[in-house]
C-alpha cells in the first residue's frame, strides 16, 4: 500500500460518522473543570506563601526574630518568583515546540522551587534548633523537632524526585522533536 | 468575549470539526475509557482557547494545534499514572455508532499507535493534508526537519504495509 492509498483510506473517515457525542454531558464537565482549574493551579504556591506568612507572624510574636525574618524572606522570594513565572508564561507560542518549552520552563521552575524549599528546611531546622536551645526547653522537644524536620526533608525529597522525572520526560520529548 | 459567545463558538467548532477531534483521540488513546478521557481534555482546552483565537490561521489548524498539544501532555500524564486517570463519572462522552470499521483503517491506526508521540502527531497532520509549512508552524520545528521526519515516517509505513500484505493480516 502506498502513502496516497493510506491517505484515501484516512479521508474516507470524514464521510462516515464513527462516533456519537453526548454534548450535554460534555458541557457539564467543562463547567465543572473550569471551576476547579484556577483553584488547583496555584494552590501549592499560595499555600506555602500563606503558611509561611502566618507562621512568620506567630514566630515573631514569640520573639524568635531570626526565624521570623527568614520566613518573611522566603515569602517575598516566593511572591517575586510567582509573578515572574506568570509573566514568563505569556512568552510561549501555541506550537508544540512552544508549549513544550513552556511545560519545560514550568517543570524547571518547580524543580528549582522544590530544591529551594529543601535548603529552606535545613536553614529552618538550624534556626529553630538555636531558638529552642537558647530557651532551655526539655531535651525531648529537640528530639521531636529533629524527627519532624527529618520527615519534612523526606517528603520534600519525594516531591523533588517527582519533578525531576517530569523534567526528564519533557527533555526526552524535546529531544525527539528536535532530532 | 462573554461566556455565551465563547460557548456558541465552541459549539460550532465542535459541530464543524467533530471528525478532527475523533481522529486525534483515536490516534492517541486505545481503550474507550482513555478515548473518553482524552476527548474531554481536548474539548476543555479548545473551549478555553476560544478567546485567544485571532483568525491568523484556519479554525482546523488552530484546533489541531491545541488538540495535539493536549494529546501530548495527556500521553505523558497517562504513562505516569496509567490506572489513576479515568472518567470522572460513569457516563461515556463518545459512543461508537456500530458500523463495521474498515480493516485497513484499523491497521493504519495501529501503525500510528506504534510511533512515538512526535511522529504520531506529524503523521496525523500529514494525513489531514497539512502542508510542510503548516506542520512546521504547528509543531514549532523547521520545515526541513519536518521533511526529514515525513520521509522517515512514509518509508516506515510503506514497509509495514508491505509486511502486512505478505502475512495476509
Amino acid at each position: 500500500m502506498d502513502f496516497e492509498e493510506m491517505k484515501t483510506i484516512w479521508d474516507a473517515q470524514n464521510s462516515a460518522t464513527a462516533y456519537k457525542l453526548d454534548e450535554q454531558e460534555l458541557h457539564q464537565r467543562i463547567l465543572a473543570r473550569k471551576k476547579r482549574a484556577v483553584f488547583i493551579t496555584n494552590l501549592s504556591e499560595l499555600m506555602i506563601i500563606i503558611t509561611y506568612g502566618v507562621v512568620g507572624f506567630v514566630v515573631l510574636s514569640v520573639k524568635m526574630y531570626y526565624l521570623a525574618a527568614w520566613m518573611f524572606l522566603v515569602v517575598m522570594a516566593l511572591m517575586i518568583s510567582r509573578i515572574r513565572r506568570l509573566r514568563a508564561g505569556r512568552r510561549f507560542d501555541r506550537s508544540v515546540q512552544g508549549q513544550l518549552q513552556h511545560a519545560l520552563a514550568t517543570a524547571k521552575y518547580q524543580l528549582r522551587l522544590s530544591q529551594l524549599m529543601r535548603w529552606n528546611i535545613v536553614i529552618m531546622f538550624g534556626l529553630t534548633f538555636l531558638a529552642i536551645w537558647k530557651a532551655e526547653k526539655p531535651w525531648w522537644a529537640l528530639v521531636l523537632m529533629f524527627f519532624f524536620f527529618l520527615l519534612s526533608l523526606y517528603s520534600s525529597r519525594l516531591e523533588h524526585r517527582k519533578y525531576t522525572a517530569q523534567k526528564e520526560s519533557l527533555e526526552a520529548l524535546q529531544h525527539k522533536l528536535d532530532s | 468575549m462573554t461566556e455565551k459567545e465563547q460557548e456558541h463558538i465552541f459549539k460550532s467548532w465542535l459541530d464543524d470539526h467533530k471528525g478532527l477531534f475523533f481522529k486525534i483521540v483515536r490516534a492517541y488513546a486505545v481503550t474507550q475509557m482513555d478515548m473518553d478521557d482524552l476527548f474531554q481534555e481536548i474539548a476543555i482546552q479548545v473551549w478555553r482557547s476560544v478567546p485567544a483565537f485571532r483568525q491568523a490561521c484556519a479554525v482546523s489548524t488552530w484546533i489541531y494545534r491545541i488538540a495535539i498539544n493536549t494529546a501530548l501532555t495527556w500521553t505523558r500524564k497517562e504513562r505516569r499514572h496509567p490506572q489513576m486517570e479515568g472518567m470522572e463519572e460513569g457516563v461515556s462522552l463518545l459512543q461508537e455508532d456500530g458500523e463495521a470499521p474498515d480493516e485497513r483503517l484499523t491497521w493504519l491506526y495501529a501503525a500510528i499507535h506504534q510511533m512515538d508521540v512526535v511522529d504520531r502527531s506529524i503523521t496525523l497532520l500529514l494525513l489531514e493534508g497539512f502542508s510542510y509549512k503548516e506542520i512546521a508552524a504547528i509543531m514549532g520545528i523547521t520545515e526541513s526537519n519536518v521533511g526529514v521526519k515525513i520521509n522517515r515516517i512514509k518509508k516506515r509505513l510503506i514497509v509495514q504495509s508491505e509486511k502486512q500484505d505478505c502475512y495476509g493480516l
Side-chain angles (χ1 to χ4, degrees), chain A residues 95-131:
Chain A
S95 68
V96 170
Q97 182 77 274
Q99 294 300 299
L100 195 59
Q101 279 170 353
H102 187 193
L104 201 55
T106 308
K108 280 179 182 167
Y109 168 81
Q110 281 173 326
L111 202 64
R112 234 181 7 249
L113 189 69
S114 78
Q115 184 65 55
L116 195 80
M117 294 319 283
R118 289 185 78 193
W119 281 112
N120 178 51
I121 288 171
V122 176
I123 292 167
M124 294 264 293
F125 171 75
L127 290 171
T128 315
F129 183 87
L130 271 177

Side-chain angles (χ1 to χ4, degrees), chain B residues 3 46 70 85 123 131 137-138 151 162:
Chain B
E3 200 161 303
V46 170
T70 311
E85 301 292 321
T123 309
S131 67
I138 291 173
N151 270 336
E162 279 165 2

Side-chain angles (χ1 to χ4, degrees), chain A residues 35-49:
Chain A
K35 281 180 193 162
R36 262 184 319 181
V38 182
F39 175 75
I40 292 168
T41 316
N42 301 314
L43 187 69
S44 64
E45 227 168 21
L46 290 175
M47 280 292 282
I48 298 173
I49 292 172

Side-chain angles (χ1 to χ4, degrees), chain A residues 1 7 10 13-14 18-20 22 27 29 33-34 37 94-97 170 173 176 179, chain B residues 3 7 23 35 40-41 48 65 69 89 91 93 95-97 109 127-128 138-139 149 161:
Chain A
M1 188 167 24
K7 188 156 174 11
W10 185 263
Q13 285 180 98
N14 297 336
Y19 296 95
K20 283 185 291 188
D22 188 342
H27 182 66
R29 288 194 197 179
R33 183 70 74 94
K34 191 190 159 199
R94 280 188 179 266
S95 68
V96 170
Q97 182 77 274
L170 284 164
L173 193 60
K176 265 182 206 160
S179 67
Chain B
E3 200 161 303
E7 203 180 313
K23 280 184 252 182
M35 284 160 92
Q40 181 186 320
E41 200 60 46
R48 274 189 193 156
R65 208 171 267 208
N69 274 317
E89 298 89 16
V91 189
L93 288 173
Q95 290 131 26
E96 282 188 72
D97 229 12
Y109 271 113
L127 286 166
E128 278 302 307
I138 291 173
M139 299 300 291
K149 284 179 191 292
S161 81

